[in-house]
Amino acid sequence: MASPTPLSHWLQSAATSVELAGVITTIAAACVDIAKILRTATTAGLAGATTLTNVQGETQKQLDIVSNDIFIKHIGQNPNIRILVSEELDEVLDLQNQGAFAIACDPLDGSSNLDVNVTVGSIFSVLAVASAADILQKGTAQLAGGYAAYGPSTSLVLSFGKSVAAFTLGDDGLFYLDRDNIKVPEASAEYAINTARYRFWDDATKAYVDQNVAGETGPAGKRYNMRWIGSMVADIHRILMRGGIFLYPLDSETLGKGGRLRLMYEANPMSLLLEAAGGAASTGHGRILEVVPTDIHQRIPVIVGSRDEVARLDALYAKLR
Ligand code: P6P
């Protein structure tokens, strides 16, 4: 059996430049440190909340701050990275070096699941910048996007825009290639949405979910299953591996904020992955990757996954607009 391919080796042929490979190496090293801390966080008394809130108005968990600090530590050691946008930082962090890359990240997404030991993750997006003024770029400009999923094993899933590869963290602290050229099944019978928000949904989302619930007796013509982990990285990882659709649509409660999930460091990297894997990523009114950000913490509706499923909901939006 051939020896598994280390991330460093895979990057030599997959990354378009040594510098971009170095940026991914830096991100991977931060994720290795976060994975290590998460394993013993509870016994170390780190799993709880702080009295602080982030720019989103969400209570920061200690591990949100620890994970953000880990990203800052590693990014500070790579002179090619000039800018950091983070869910945990109100403003852009400009390292004032000559670096040509920016990272937008959610250092620890789903941290509300930490105290119940559910898979959480780090989500990252890489952009080319000449200065902090260049940061508000639409998702199609991303040089790379991906996530680390901290679960029974630690996965690193990334794309440079054309294909998707998944790596697993070994006992030696290195990531090894698991799957390359991942493709999301175009059809699926599994959807992920927080159904407790039914009363806030628009007519298109209600019609889509009602069709799924009707199963083989309704217009969808097949039986559906529903999964909602409450951790975007965990839900998206399942969808990348076996198909499905993840929905956090605009609803009457999130309308004023533009949605629930953040464009630059949640929706864009996940959309880059899903489209590179043959899936689709929609706001309900167009491609997520085409939205030009107006703010680093802008929120956006998220409808991503198997192409056929996203198309069916897009058609309902077009019909019920
Ligand atoms: P809800 C976690 O806080 C998160 O940002 C995503 O990881 C997750 O998919 C979503 O929010 C869960 O939202 O409304 O179900 O708690």
Side-chain angles (χ1 to χ4, degrees):
M1 180 178 167
S3 54
T5 305
L7 173 64
S8 55
H9 183 76
W10 181 86
L11 283 172
Q12 286 168 11
S13 53
T16 50
S17 72
V18 171
E19 292 77 12
L20 181 55
V23 171
I24 299 300
T25 302
T26 293
I27 292 170
C31 295
V32 169
D33 280 0
I34 293 170
K36 205 178 297 175
I37 279 210
L38 290 182
R39 274 202 298 276
T40 57
T42 309
T43 49
L46 282 174
T50 69
T51 55
L52 307 169
T53 54
N54 62 21
V55 67
Q56 331 285 341
E58 296 163 345
T59 302
Q60 287 181 301
K61 296 284 189 303
Q62 293 177 80
L63 286 166
D64 286 326
I65 295 172
V66 166
S67 302
N68 192 59
D69 290 346
I70 288 171
F71 265 92
I72 293 174
K73 180 190 84 174
H74 284 274
I75 286 168
Q77 293 163 4
N78 184 334
N80 289 318
I81 302 171
R82 168 150 187 180
I83 300 289
L84 175 66
V85 166
S86 168
E87 183 184 71
E88 305 310 329
L89 296 174
D90 295 1
E91 307 298 332
V92 171
L93 176 63
D94 185 344
L95 297 169
Q96 303 282 349
N97 56 27
Q98 298 307 307
F101 295 95
I103 292 174
C105 76
D106 183 353
L108 198 59
D109 181 73
S111 55
S112 57
N113 296 288
L114 284 168
D115 48 359
V116 292
N117 200 23
V118 165
T119 294
V120 294
S122 300
I123 310 172
F124 58 87
S125 171
V126 180
L127 295 163
V129 291
S131 73
D134 297 337
I135 193 63
L136 294 178
Q137 299 174 45
K138 62 184 180 180
T140 49
Q142 292 175 102
L143 300 176
Y147 60 81
Y150 309 111
S153 64
T154 294
S155 299
L156 179 73
V157 179
L158 74 95
S159 175
F160 292 112
K162 295 194 174 15
S163 66
V164 179
F167 302 81
T168 296
L169 184 60
D171 290 338
D172 58 2
L174 299 178
F175 282 106
Y176 291 93
L177 183 64
D178 238 348
R179 288 182 58 182
D180 206 348
N181 200 25
I182 294 170
K183 290 299 172 200
V184 179
E186 292 197 359
S188 171
E190 195 161 66
Y191 65 104
I193 191 167
N194 181 343
T195 50
R197 303 185 64 83
Y198 190 99
R199 67 185 185 283
F200 303 125
W201 293 344
D202 55 36
D203 291 344
T205 304
K206 284 181 180 174
Y208 174 78
V209 172
D210 289 349
Q211 288 178 6
N212 293 359
V213 171
E216 59 275 35
T217 66
K222 60 183 178 181
R223 189 180 188 90
Y224 276 76
N225 197 17
M226 203 281 281
R227 287 281 182 276
W228 184 250
I229 301 173
S231 176
M232 185 185 198
V233 168
D235 278 316
I236 295 294
H237 193 66
R238 183 193 59 253
I239 289 164
L240 265 174
M241 296 301 133
R242 72 185 193 208
I245 183 172
F246 174 96
L247 307 149
Y248 216 115
L250 200 59
D251 63 34
S252 58
E253 198 175 57
T254 61
L255 195 60
K257 291 183 178 176
R260 165 68 193 274
L261 302 176
R262 274 63 58 150
L263 174 59
M264 290 198 72
Y265 42 81
E266 290 173 333
N268 272 345
M270 294 308 198
S271 299
L272 184 80
L273 288 171
L274 265 303
E275 287 202 4
S282 172
T283 64
H285 304 288
R287 280 176 78 201
I288 289 174
L289 294 176
E290 289 295 347
V291 177
V292 179
T294 54
D295 174 84
I296 58 173
H297 297 297
Q298 178 179 341
R299 296 170 189 262
I300 195 87
V302 176
I303 300 163
V304 295
S306 292
R307 184 164 293 282
D308 294 357
E309 293 304 312
V310 174
R312 180 154 61 89
L313 179 47
D314 276 346
L316 287 165
Y317 270 109
K319 185 175 146 196
L320 301 171
R321 196 186 301 280

